Amino acid sequence: MEKRTRNYGTVVYPESAPSDWISRLQEQLVPALISPLHDRDINSDGTIKKPHFHVMILFDGVKTKEQAKEVFDVIGGVGVETIKSVNAYARYLCHLDNPEKAQYSTDDVISCAGADYMSTISLAKDKYTAIGEMLDYCQQNAVVSYAELLLYARDKRKDWFHVLCDNGTVTMVQYLKSRYWTVNSYKERNIENE
């Protein structure tokens, strides 16, 4: 009996895929994530790999490999890979955990049919790293306003913005309130000492 699972991956080579392969994938109405074009990956012999995309599909229910292949055939996908960890495979789309490999921007990942890339790749350590970076940013730039931080994150740091929207707001609001109080307390003490 063929094993069934929810998540499958494939590779798409631009020169052999239909020119509208992304639209064709979107028309399948299967949640999917498409990596940025991997055009800087290196083979073990030092040569550059043929440019390609990694595609993962995330079915709502279990499907066979053959059912996944039907979707991949529409887009010119090469091979069908069973995905054991959605988080790990999604992070691999940009080599987030492989610093020795070419790095690709998470902003260039294409999400289809309701797939949410940023929530799929999030790890607790990423949240703590982002909060630490925000603390440093606020201190170095004399930021005491949550609104200012939130707008900066929305425009310049999508990773911070996601942390603030999902679960980092309480920590940052409390930090900024305390920072504001501390800054003003020092000012008052300095005025009194003059």
Side-chain angles (χ1 to χ4, degrees):
M1 184 167 133
E2 185 179 359
K3 186 176 178 186
R4 295 158 45 110
T5 188
R6 293 175 186 256
N7 312 302
Y8 294 91
T10 194
V11 174
V12 173
Y13 295 97
E15 75 276 355
S16 59
S19 61
D20 64 344
W21 71 271
I22 294 175
S23 296
R24 290 182 184 202
L25 178 60
Q26 291 169 332
E27 290 168 1
Q28 298 294 307
L29 300 177
V30 175
L33 297 170
I34 304 169
S35 75
L37 179 63
H38 282 220
D39 56 359
R40 293 177 280 122
D41 291 359
I42 307 290
N43 290 309
S44 58
D45 65 2
T47 59
I48 294 180
K49 290 183 179 181
K50 186 164 41 167
H52 60 280
F53 294 90
H54 292 276
V55 178
M56 62 186 295
I57 54 177
L58 310 157
F59 289 112
D60 292 333
V62 293
K63 302 288 182 191
T64 64
K65 219 172 193 177
E66 188 57 39
Q67 289 170 306
K69 185 178 181 316
E70 289 174 17
V71 173
F72 293 148
D73 284 348
V74 170
I75 64 171
V78 177
V80 178
E81 179 182 2
T82 301
I83 295 174
K84 295 178 177 78
S85 169
V86 170
N87 177 272
Y89 197 94
R91 293 179 66 81
Y92 184 77
L93 296 180
C94 293
H95 295 156
L96 297 179
D97 300 314
N98 306 92
E100 74 285 359
K101 295 187 177 194
Q103 298 296 295
Y104 300 99
S105 174
T106 57
D107 292 337
D108 295 333
V109 172
I110 298 171
S111 298
C112 303
D116 182 356
Y117 184 64
M118 293 309 288
S119 68
T120 303
I121 63 168
S122 67
L123 298 174
K125 70 175 185 161
D126 297 333
K127 178 181 93 170
Y128 299 129
T129 298
I131 288 175
E133 290 172 352
M134 286 185 271
L135 295 174
D136 293 341
Y137 172 80
C138 291
Q139 186 170 15
Q140 292 162 2
N141 295 283
V143 173
V144 294
S145 164
Y146 179 75
E148 182 181 343
L149 174 63
L150 189 62
L151 291 173
Y152 175 83
R154 182 195 67 189
D155 295 339
K156 305 280 187 196
R157 291 293 306 261
K158 298 268 189 257
D159 56 333
W160 292 2
F161 187 68
H162 287 281
V163 169
L164 291 171
C165 290
D166 293 342
N167 52 21
T169 292
V170 171
T171 299
M172 291 310 300
V173 165
Q174 292 303 317
Y175 168 75
L176 289 169
K177 281 182 183 177
S178 177
R179 179 168 165 61
Y180 179 80
W181 178 86
T182 301
V183 167
N184 286 325
S185 174
Y186 284 136
K187 284 180 185 175
E188 287 176 14
R189 280 188 253 167
N190 287 339
I191 289 171
E192 290 173 5
N193 292 333
E194 290 179 0

